[in-house]
Amino acid sequence: MNESKSLSIWLIVGSQHLYGTQVIQEVEQHAQVMAAGLNSSGQICLPICFRGVATTPEEIYRFCQEANASPDCAGVICWMHTFSPAKMWIQGLKALQKPLLHFHTQFNRDIPWDTIDMDFMNLNQSAHGDREFAHLLTRMGKARKVVVGHWQDAKVQQEMDIWCRAAMAWHDWQGARFVRFGDNMRQVAVTEGDKVEAEFRLGFSVNTHGVGDLVAEITKVKDHEAEELCGLYESLYRLQPELKKGGQRRAALLEAARIEIGLRRFLQQGGYKGFTDTFEDLHGLKQLPGIAVQRLMQDGYGFGAEGDWKTAALVRAMKVMASGLPGGNSFMEDYTYHLEPGHEMVLGAHMLEICPSITSQQPSCEIHPLSIGGKEDPVRLVFDAAPGPALNASLVDMGDHLRLLVNEVETLLPPQPLPRLPVARAIWKPHPDFQTACAAWLMAGGAHHTCFSQNLQIAHLRDFARIAGIEYLVIDRHTRLHAFEQEIQLSNCYYALRGLFGKA
């Protein structure tokens, strides 16, 4: 995921010529100091690039068009240092296609009580100018993040970083390609969706390749290449004795390595950022991809099982958002429950494909039978997710819009060993409690597939949903079922009306 290395956030500062050349020069100097200070803070994942002081409609329009055209601009921050009449911003904001953050700050933190005069007031009137700017944004219905506070405040910088991470993920989706090997799992509803609308609204494409195309790439893998990768497996994981060199099941490990090499090459050659497969379409594969999928996810690829392209795209976005943060993100499925009164828990897993980024253990590399798919026993990594706060996010197609549903959870170590469960897993307690969380999830139509995250907060996904124009619903410590149901009803009304009067 090195695509973010060249990205930056553009800072555009508003003013006007009414105050004279000297004021404009001071505004520019202050903006340069602010950008340098934000960049040196170590709190913000992307560099802030000061692009200039906007004082006329023509300048503003040019800045916005340049931001749109720049492949390295992930988003735009606007701050009104002085009063900047908002009608000047109309055409530029109409044209702006990049994520927008409205930064309500001022250069000085404190009022200089002994020396303040009208010159100081005219120069430092963000309290005035930002209200004018915000009025226009609201009237235009322009989606944006609002961050309020002094630019040197660590909490303010952290809020900016959250938005920058969401903007980075949105940028990554634009023009992204996801491949489906085979189609959707037969008769399943929630993994379906409108791929044309997704490309139009969200910027990424989803297309299908027959599994034979993947098999053709796998057959090109040389024996020595598979042996080399198996050696890497042995250095990273605890291999079962039968998978080690000379072991009875070594051939299965070599086949798993061939699948990984072939799959990785297919994705690289096609420029894909994620993929799906399904155990109902494995023609030509000797085993369902297990360790291959797990390791590719760990390297940043999105994944969704059973043709679930929406979750594959979400996993990719959340991995991009979390770049550099401790902990991991993985494809996940709510699998089974522990219903002991007062100690209810969810066991999340999948047949094989859980990302090792979510464990603090050394995974065990194992081979076990798989009762579905009709293929040879697949190789997989087995481990427990690390304990701590986490969240599950689900992207679902509601027919007339997409819904992003998020539930805060607390991950636990298994209260007892699981010696006969041969898959990677996570155990969690959902917030606010098991009954409320599950009922709310069901009311909202959430999927059984999710992205499980240890390093993202609700705020990251809220900002991402705002940028993407996706409906956002959260189940957290404060959720009350009656109020949540009303929120869904109001949201349904909004989208029904939007459908009647035209999509925004």
Side-chain angles (χ1 to χ4, degrees):
M1 291 192 298
N2 296 323
E3 293 89 342
S4 65
K5 287 188 175 180
S6 63
L7 294 183
S8 64
I9 299 295
W10 287 16
L11 172 63
I12 301 173
V13 180
S15 188
Q16 61 175 325
H17 289 289
L18 177 67
Y19 305 112
T21 303
Q22 182 177 345
V23 168
I24 301 299
Q25 291 173 346
E26 288 187 76
V27 168
E28 185 170 353
Q29 291 168 3
H30 288 176
Q32 290 171 341
V33 171
M34 177 188 290
L38 291 172
N39 289 330
S40 65
S41 70
Q43 298 276 2
I44 302 175
C45 64
L46 292 177
I48 307 300
C49 178
F50 171 57
R51 297 292 298 184
V53 180
T55 58
T56 67
E58 293 75 21
E59 284 179 331
I60 293 166
Y61 184 77
R62 176 173 56 82
F63 279 135
C64 292
Q65 290 285 48
E66 289 175 353
N68 290 340
S70 172
D72 296 330
C73 174
V76 173
I77 296 174
C78 288
W79 165 48
M80 305 301 110
H81 191 307
T82 68
F83 190 79
S84 179
K87 286 175 66 177
M88 294 195 305
W89 289 83
I90 291 175
Q91 296 305 318
L93 291 173
K94 281 174 62 179
L96 183 64
Q97 298 170 353
K98 295 294 175 82
L100 175 64
L101 184 148
H102 182 193
F103 194 17
H104 187 43
T105 188
Q106 61 184 30
F107 184 71
N108 58 296
R109 192 193 72 173
D110 303 328
I111 292 176
W113 303 104
D114 294 338
T115 60
I116 186 171
D117 57 17
M118 283 309 301
D119 287 339
F120 182 94
M121 294 275 276
N122 284 332
L123 176 62
N124 298 282
Q125 53 173 315
S126 303
H128 183 192
D130 276 328
R131 281 169 168 76
E132 166 78 355
F133 185 66
H135 164 75
L136 180 68
L137 290 171
T138 301
R139 180 165 176 176
M140 292 178 67
K142 192 74 175 177
R144 77 277 192 188
K145 170 73 175 281
V146 177
V147 175
V148 177
H150 192 252
W151 58 275
Q152 292 177 314
D153 187 325
K155 291 183 179 179
V156 168
Q157 293 167 358
Q158 289 164 10
E159 277 196 64
M160 296 179 74
D161 178 69
I162 287 170
W163 175 82
C164 286
R165 290 180 176 278
M168 187 165 60
W170 175 251
H171 185 276
D172 183 77
W173 264 10
Q174 305 314 297
R177 303 177 71 195
F178 293 88
V179 59
R180 301 169 80 208
F181 295 111
D183 198 5
N184 190 62
M185 183 178 172
R186 299 179 192 113
Q187 305 298 334
V188 176
V190 76
T191 51
E192 291 280 14
D194 189 335
K195 297 188 288 293
V196 174
E197 188 73 4
E199 185 166 356
F200 172 57
R201 294 285 176 185
L202 305 179
F204 61 80
S205 66
V206 182
N207 287 292
T208 298
H209 273 264
V211 179
D213 294 341
L214 173 59
V215 172
E217 198 62 45
I218 293 170
T219 59
K220 298 176 186 176
V221 176
K222 307 296 185 184
D223 289 346
H224 72 89
E225 294 175 313
E227 284 285 3
E228 288 175 8
L229 184 54
C230 287
L232 179 62
Y233 292 165
E234 192 152 8
S235 70
L236 294 174
Y237 315 120
R238 293 180 286 109
L239 263 63
Q240 282 180 327
E242 56 265 43
L243 294 176
K244 293 182 178 180
K245 201 161 189 177
Q248 294 180 346
R249 309 298 299 276
R250 181 70 172 188
L253 187 68
L254 287 166
E255 186 61 30
R258 289 189 186 93
I259 291 173
E260 178 181 339
I261 294 167
L263 179 53
R264 189 180 294 273
R265 286 176 179 168
F266 189 100
L267 296 173
Q268 290 172 344
Q269 291 167 7
Y272 295 108
K273 294 182 177 180
F275 62 103
T276 73
D277 63 17
T278 170
F279 60 81
E280 289 186 324
D281 194 351
L282 298 174
H283 185 71
L285 288 174
K286 292 184 179 180
Q287 56 180 265
L288 178 65
I291 190 173
V293 174
Q294 293 176 294
R295 285 172 45 80
L296 284 163
M297 259 197 290
Q298 190 166 26
D299 289 342
Y301 286 95
F303 173 75
E306 292 109 41
D308 189 353
W309 55 270
K310 297 187 298 300
T311 301
L314 183 62
V315 170
R316 168 67 184 192
M318 291 173 67
K319 282 184 173 290
V320 171
M321 266 185 270
S323 296
L325 298 178
N329 292 267
S330 177
F331 172 76
M332 187 61 70
E333 178 175 279
D334 293 57
Y335 225 106
T336 193
Y337 294 143
H338 179 75
L339 295 177
E340 178 186 356
H343 299 283
E344 295 90 349
M345 292 178 285
V346 180
L347 192 157
H350 204 254
M351 292 177 295
L352 305 172
E353 312 97 339
I354 302 299
C355 180
S357 65
I358 66 172
T359 187
S360 56
Q361 305 169 343
Q362 182 187 29
S364 174
C365 184
E366 303 179 9
I367 183 169
H368 299 277
L370 185 66
S371 59
I372 55 179
K375 294 293 179 177
E376 296 175 5
D377 298 344
V379 177
R380 79 294 303 272
L381 299 175
V382 178
F383 51 83
D384 295 308
L391 55 81
N392 272 307
S394 172
L395 183 61
V396 291
D397 191 330
M398 302 306 296
D400 56 356
H401 69 283
L402 288 169
R403 172 175 288 169
L404 182 60
L405 180 62
V406 183
N407 184 200
E408 283 189 323
V409 304
E410 185 69 25
T411 314
L412 309 169
L413 288 175
Q416 297 182 37
L418 299 164
R420 300 185 63 183
L421 185 62
V423 292
R425 59 266 176 163
I427 307 289
W428 66 79
K429 287 189 172 185
H431 292 301
D433 58 72
F434 177 85
Q435 288 80 5
T436 301
C438 287
W441 191 274
L442 296 172
M443 284 180 177
H448 55 286
H449 289 168
T450 62
C451 181
F452 173 87
S453 177
Q454 298 166 322
N455 47 23
L456 295 177
Q457 306 167 25
I458 281 176
H460 290 99
L461 293 174
R462 180 182 294 118
D463 283 357
F464 182 71
R466 184 187 302 112
I467 291 170
I470 297 171
E471 180 196 11
Y472 177 81
L473 293 173
V474 62
I475 305 167
D476 61 10
R477 291 170 175 82
H478 309 292
T479 296
R480 297 295 178 267
L481 202 55
H482 178 66
F484 187 80
E485 187 174 10
Q486 288 183 320
E487 184 179 358
I488 294 172
Q489 292 169 346
L490 289 172
S491 183
N492 289 340
C493 289
Y494 165 77
Y495 284 102
L497 289 171
R498 194 183 75 162
L500 287 173
F501 295 103
K503 295 184 177 180

